[in-house]
Amino acid sequence: MSNVVIIGASGHGKVVADIVNKSGDKLLGFLDDDLSLGYEFCGYPIMGSVSDYDKVIGASFVIAIGNPEIRERISQSIKAPFYTAIHPSAQISGIDVAIGEGTVVMPGAIINSGAKIGRHCIINSAAVVEHDNLIADFVHVSVGAHIAGTVTVGARTMLGVGSAVKNNVSITSDCTIGAGAVVVDNIEESGTYVGVPAKKVI
Ligand SMILES: CC(C)(COP(=O)(O)OP(=O)(O)OC[C@H]1O[C@@H](n2cnc3c(N)ncnc32)[C@H](O)[C@@H]1OP(=O)(O)O)[C@@H](O)C(=O)NCCC(=O)NCCS
């Protein structure tokens, strides 16, 4: 059994708390820099700000913050083990799958054979990451987003709720794919893409 501390007392953190509980691990509490939150969040103590992590002995940490740049910055500042949170209802192939440390896999997500997921990613509720996908660090595959087979997604890219990506497509780093967008061609320039087929708007 691991002792776990969640960084980020937010709605997302609340869902990660449930994953820790359902995994049979022990949630010690939260760390958050927002002092206005007080001392308690969803029944667990707020133990301090993020920089207080080194006062917690023997715990592993999971960063429950949606913004990928903040997730990346905090991950670089913490010199302690990271906890990989996988909900028991997630369907993860037993063949050639790798999931990096600190990644969160939410209820009902599917990760199929040969998929490689980086560090500190979020594979959100009911998302589908199909076979042989290469998902880089800090990527967020939002609720119900579907990625077909053999897709590459670059670091810090966010695929919005209900978006879809055609098979054999490559999406570069630092993109936002809008809610409901459908990516049918390679995306080589970072930016925001919306619509069907997805087009760059920012
Ligand atoms: C694409 C997105 C990032 C744009 O956000 P934004 O920069 O704040 O843009 P706005 O909301 O001001 O919208 C700007 C325009 O784009 C349109 N637009 C916004 N999102 C869109 C989308 N997903 N698809 C199509 N059009 C969209 C708006 O209708 C608006 O059009 P208008 O100028 O004709 O009125 C955002 O709308 C989005 O889809 N985010 C994904 C969020 C998400 O999935 N979160 C998952 C959490 S699990």
Side-chain angles (χ1 to χ4, degrees):
M1 187 207 273
S2 304
N3 289 330
V4 181
V5 173
I6 297 173
I7 296 176
S10 61
H12 179 49
K14 205 182 282 185
V15 181
V16 176
D18 184 57
I19 299 177
V20 175
N21 287 338
K22 291 212 165 75
S23 300
D25 291 315
K26 183 172 171 54
L27 178 58
L28 301 181
F30 290 84
L31 297 176
D32 200 296
D33 286 343
D34 182 356
L35 301 177
S36 71
L37 290 168
Y39 296 99
E40 188 266 346
F41 182 69
C42 67
Y44 292 89
I46 297 179
M47 305 161 76
S49 54
V50 177
S51 60
D52 292 322
Y53 83 89
D54 55 358
K55 299 187 180 113
V56 188
I57 308 299
S60 55
F61 296 83
V62 54
I63 308 169
I65 294 173
N67 183 299
E69 283 85 15
I70 297 176
R71 240 175 19 258
E72 181 170 24
R73 180 167 50 74
I74 292 176
S75 75
Q76 289 164 348
S77 73
I78 292 204
K79 309 291 177 239
F82 287 108
Y83 178 79
T84 304
I86 299 178
H87 193 278
S89 72
Q91 299 294 314
I92 298 175
S93 165
I95 298 182
D96 202 22
V97 167
I99 298 178
E101 64 173 9
T103 283
V104 173
V105 182
M106 295 286 191
I110 297 173
I111 299 175
N112 224 332
S113 302
K116 306 284 189 288
I117 316 268
R119 300 160 56 245
H120 305 285
C121 293
I122 303 168
I123 310 300
N124 221 314
S125 306
V128 175
V129 176
E130 259 304 332
H131 66 88
D132 301 305
N133 279 194
L134 295 178
I135 309 293
D137 298 343
F138 310 107
V139 165
H140 180 178
V141 185
S142 296
V143 172
H146 290 176
I147 311 179
T150 327
V151 165
T152 300
V153 182
R156 295 171 299 279
T157 282
M158 197 276 282
L159 302 174
V161 57
S163 62
V165 183
K166 198 187 83 169
N167 59 311
N168 304 323
V169 159
S170 179
I171 302 175
T172 193
S173 60
D174 301 294
C175 290
T176 299
I177 308 300
V182 179
V183 179
V184 298
D185 292 312
N186 292 343
I187 291 181
E188 292 164 357
E189 190 182 352
S190 301
T192 299
Y193 293 75
V194 302
V196 182
K199 299 283 182 212
K200 190 170 188 294
V201 287
I202 302 171

